């Protein structure tokens, strides 16, 4: 059986139509994957942002184990087994179509073929488009259709800058995106990150910095998803055209989601709220019964490598932390994890525990550029948008979950220091120096100084 692992960068589960989104953003994914495969409703990434997220898909390990929790980590240990190497040893032709090698060399480990469409133009590392990815992926499939292969396809399009092709720009938006009476982006302009985000808005064609309507920006994000959905459809239809679809397992997921104004955070993924860590996971393989199944159990991205090996009948290395999802898919069990854990080490440093009963506790290790509570507690069953922090009302539950997360972390680390705390130690100083430079370039250092002071509150580091 062949395997195609598709990763849509920066894609929220709740912005795909197969997950109930109000817009029909993913018709091809819905029809060709979700309707014929299994859709996991509660898949939470283990580590955010991109580099640790993708590393978890390859190693089956969370960042607390592999040491990869951020974009500042040292190299991945060569002794940690990775999925492509395992499959290559079992006779698979292994191929990646991605730009990640330009970030970290370990993303090429185990791949006999590594194709980077923008290799000669590294400034476009995160701006490669889905057509360019398919221009390499589709011919490779056609040329290797008679071989047993594993393909890793990484589409960047939903990542900032949200600048989809022209036909998608007005697909989900009617009105004037520059209406001066619309002030939905004003909260962003009062944040210390505004000069940085302003540069991103300026590159959204054709309105740029004139955009006043948050909904227009969200419509561009959704347009990017619809564009990449079309290209995923082309890739999947190629499997049909060359007559290997019935011999191919397809897995589709994302490394993380994106904040689109929730919790006063805009166009980034530096937190552990649901919009950032709850990602799509859809699995389809030949003779899958039943089709169109939805599974509510708690699962995580580290389960993908173990599941692929289980479906293929290849033993899982003991270093893999994730579990196979095949028993859930086959109905042999109904429950996944009793609790899941996620950390972020990008813009801020936080860690969260989510229980199967729907409780979610967040501990802020370093707030970075946003002032957020140290402890937050949400009941996701009653409050899926995480609007009501219950930490003060439900103190016993908060204490219990915080202690449980501490015990879990200690069991993972042993005598090793927490890599999230190591990376975040100088996080605030680094980010504030960058923001100061941007405000100076904007010619408004006084505003920076005012915002800078508002981020400080006494005693924070003592807790």
């Amino acid at each position: 059986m062949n395997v195609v692992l598709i990763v849509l960068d920066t894609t929220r589960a709740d912005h795909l139509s197969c997950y109930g989104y109000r817009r029909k953003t993913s018709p091809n994914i819905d029809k060709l994957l979700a309707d014929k495969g299994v859709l996991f409703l509660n898949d939470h990434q283990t580590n955010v942002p991109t580099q640790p997220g993708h590393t978890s898909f390859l190693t089956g390990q969370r960042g607390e184990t592999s040491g990869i929790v951020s974009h500042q980590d040292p190299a991945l240990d060569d002794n940690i087994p990775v999925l492509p190497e395992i499959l290559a040893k079992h006779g698979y032709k292994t191929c990646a179509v991605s730009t990640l090698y330009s970030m970290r060399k370990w993303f090429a480990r185990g791949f006999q073929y590594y194709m980077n469409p923008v290799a000669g133009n590294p400034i476009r590392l995160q701006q490669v488009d889905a057509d360019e990815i398919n221009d390499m992926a589709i011919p490779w499939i056609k040329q290797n259709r008679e071989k047993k292969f594993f393909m890793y396809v990484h589409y960047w399009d939903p990542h900032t800058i949200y600048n989809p092709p022209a036909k998608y720009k007005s697909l989900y938006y009617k009105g004037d995106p520059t209406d001066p009476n619309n002030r939905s982006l004003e909260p962003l302009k009062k944040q210390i990150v505004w000069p940085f985000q302003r540069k991103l808005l300026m590159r959204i064609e054709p309105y740029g910095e004139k955009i006043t309507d948050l909904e227009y920006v969200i419509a561009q994000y959704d347009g990017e998803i619809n564009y990449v959905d079309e290209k995923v459809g082309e890739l999947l239809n190629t499997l049909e055209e060359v007559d290997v679809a019935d011999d191919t397992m397809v897995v589709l997921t994302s490394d993380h989601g994106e904040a689109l104004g929730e919790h006063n955070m805009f166009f980034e993924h530096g937190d552990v709220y649901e919009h950032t860590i709850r990602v799509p996971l859809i699995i389809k393989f030949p003779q899958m019964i039943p089709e169109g199944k939805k599974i509510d159990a708690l699962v995580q991205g580290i389960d993908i490598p173990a599941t692929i090996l289980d479906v293929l009948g290849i033993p899982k290395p003991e270093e893999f932390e994730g579990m196979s999802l095949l028993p859930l898919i086959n109905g042999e069990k109904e429950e996944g994890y009793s609790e899941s854990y996620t950390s972020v080490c990008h813009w801020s440093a936080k860690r969260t525990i989510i229980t199967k009963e729907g409780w979610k506790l967040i501990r802020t290790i370093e707030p970075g550029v946003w002032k957020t509570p140290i402890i937050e507690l949400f009941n996701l069953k009653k409050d899926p948008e995480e609007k009501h922090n219950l930490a003060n009302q439900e103190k016993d539950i908060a204490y219990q979950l915080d202690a449980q997360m501490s015990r879990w972390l200690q069991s993972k680390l042993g005598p090793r220091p927490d890599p999230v705390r190591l990376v975040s130690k100088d996080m605030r100083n680094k980010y504030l120096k960058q923001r100061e430079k941007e405000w100076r370039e904007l010619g408004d250092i006084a505003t920076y100084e005012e915002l800078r002071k508002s981020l400080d509150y006494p005693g924070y580091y003592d807790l």
Side-chain angles (χ1 to χ4, degrees):
M1 191 186 301
N2 307 311
V3 180
V4 177
L5 174 53
I6 301 170
V7 184
L8 311 182
D9 210 280
T10 321
T11 301
R12 297 167 54 142
D14 64 354
H15 274 244
L16 296 184
S17 39
C18 53
Y19 279 85
Y21 189 43
R22 59 189 172 88
R23 290 170 171 162
K24 192 72 173 175
T25 53
S26 54
N28 289 287
I29 294 171
D30 302 354
K31 180 181 178 181
L32 300 176
L33 286 182
D35 290 350
K36 296 182 179 182
V38 170
L39 183 147
F40 290 86
L41 297 170
N42 279 299
D43 175 37
H44 292 87
Q45 181 53 283
T46 54
N47 301 89
V48 178
T50 296
Q51 290 180 29
H54 282 265
T55 301
S56 72
F57 299 146
L58 298 175
T59 64
Q61 292 186 355
R62 56 181 71 249
E64 284 78 4
T65 302
S66 69
I68 309 301
V69 297
S70 75
H71 288 169
Q72 285 79 48
D73 298 301
L76 181 71
D77 189 332
D78 287 340
N79 293 317
I80 295 176
V82 293
L83 180 64
E85 286 182 346
I86 295 169
L87 294 176
K89 289 176 182 177
H90 282 80
Y92 279 79
K93 293 295 181 184
T94 54
C95 170
V97 189
S98 172
T99 66
L100 287 174
Y101 175 78
S102 297
M103 285 184 165
R104 293 291 192 168
K105 306 310 177 191
W106 69 75
F107 288 118
R109 275 183 56 190
F111 288 109
Q112 296 155 330
Y113 301 85
Y114 199 98
M115 297 183 285
N116 176 358
V118 294
N121 189 9
I123 197 171
R124 292 192 58 228
L125 184 153
Q126 294 178 307
Q127 301 304 312
V128 61
D129 64 51
D131 275 293
E132 293 171 304
I133 295 293
N134 277 7
D135 284 347
M136 288 188 163
I138 289 175
W140 192 92
I141 291 173
K142 292 178 178 179
Q143 292 162 11
N144 292 272
R145 63 186 180 274
E146 295 182 358
K147 300 169 183 174
K148 187 170 63 173
F149 64 81
F150 167 65
M151 173 175 273
Y152 191 98
V153 187
H154 177 204
Y155 296 102
W156 275 100
D157 301 270
H159 194 283
T160 52
I161 292 105
Y162 316 139
N163 217 11
K167 76 174 187 176
Y168 302 91
K169 284 189 168 295
S170 59
L171 197 59
Y172 302 116
Y173 186 85
K174 306 297 179 187
D176 179 7
T178 64
D179 181 359
N181 295 316
N182 190 317
R183 305 181 65 81
S184 53
L185 284 177
E186 287 303 306
L188 174 59
K189 296 178 181 179
K190 297 176 182 178
Q191 294 183 13
I192 203 165
V193 295
W194 166 239
F196 175 81
Q197 296 289 10
R198 173 178 169 269
K199 293 176 182 178
L200 299 181
L201 287 175
M202 287 172 65
R203 295 176 63 184
I204 298 180
E205 300 172 355
Y207 301 104
E209 194 182 357
K210 296 178 182 178
I211 298 169
T212 59
D213 191 355
L214 171 61
E215 286 302 317
Y216 178 77
V217 184
I218 295 174
Q220 303 315 296
Y221 173 78
D222 290 342
E224 291 278 25
I225 291 177
N226 190 243
Y227 164 59
V228 79
D229 171 80
E230 181 180 306
K231 300 307 161 183
V232 169
E234 290 179 3
L235 187 78
L236 298 177
N237 285 328
T238 299
L239 299 174
E240 293 280 357
E241 291 168 12
V242 300
D243 200 27
V244 298
D246 291 339
D247 302 306
T248 303
M249 177 184 187
V250 179
V251 180
L252 181 141
T253 190
S254 178
D255 55 345
H256 54 74
E258 187 84 313
L260 298 171
E262 301 91 348
H263 293 270
N264 210 28
M265 297 177 181
F266 297 81
F267 324 136
E268 262 300 342
H269 34 270
D271 62 83
V272 288
Y273 297 117
E274 291 295 283
H275 52 248
T276 291
I277 68 171
R278 180 173 169 256
V279 294
L281 176 59
I282 308 171
I283 299 176
K284 170 184 170 290
F285 53 81
Q287 291 80 51
M288 173 174 277
I289 300 174
E291 295 182 352
K293 185 176 183 179
K294 295 183 179 180
I295 295 177
D296 196 39
L298 284 181
V299 300
Q300 300 214 256
I302 54 172
D303 302 329
I304 291 172
T307 304
I308 290 173
L309 293 182
D310 196 8
V311 171
L312 299 180
I314 298 173
K316 180 185 78 169
E318 61 181 15
E319 291 90 346
F320 277 19
E321 291 180 279
M323 65 179 178
S324 171
L325 302 178
L326 192 55
L328 284 169
I329 293 171
N330 290 337
E332 298 167 14
K333 59 182 288 191
E334 294 183 357
E335 291 192 357
Y337 295 107
S338 56
E339 64 279 328
S340 64
Y341 299 90
T342 302
S343 70
V344 64
C345 202
H346 177 62
W347 289 104
S348 68
K350 302 184 179 188
R351 187 171 277 119
T352 184
I353 174 176
I354 302 172
T355 72
K356 64 180 182 180
E357 293 80 17
W359 287 105
K360 177 176 182 177
L361 179 129
I362 298 173
R363 172 169 279 279
T364 295
I365 298 166
E366 167 53 64
V369 295
W370 295 294
K371 189 173 181 178
T372 56
I374 301 166
I375 293 290
E376 295 174 88
L377 178 69
F378 301 103
N379 186 326
L380 295 179
K381 301 288 187 184
K382 297 179 180 179
D383 179 24
E385 295 182 358
E386 301 164 286
K387 292 184 176 180
H388 307 290
N389 181 5
L390 302 176
N392 287 328
Q393 294 97 305
E394 302 284 356
K395 290 183 179 181
D396 287 346
I397 294 175
Y399 289 143
Q400 175 190 339
L401 293 179
D402 195 33
Q404 186 174 344
M405 186 160 61
S406 294
R407 289 193 297 270
W408 167 85
L409 181 63
Q410 188 60 46
S411 73
K412 290 295 176 186
L413 295 177
R416 296 180 295 118
D418 181 358
V420 172
R421 289 188 179 273
L422 287 178
V423 174
S424 66
K425 186 168 59 174
D426 196 44
M427 176 181 284
R428 172 177 287 210
N429 288 335
K430 183 186 75 171
Y431 281 139
L432 289 177
K433 286 177 182 177
Q434 292 172 344
R435 305 293 79 81
E436 180 181 3
K437 179 181 177 182
E438 291 161 355
W439 279 99
R440 287 188 184 278
E441 291 172 354
L442 199 60
D444 193 2
I445 193 62
T447 300
Y448 166 81
E449 295 291 350
E450 181 180 346
L451 293 171
R452 166 71 179 83
K453 291 177 182 178
S454 72
L455 290 176
D456 290 334
Y457 40 114
Y460 184 87
Y461 295 101
D462 296 334
L463 293 169

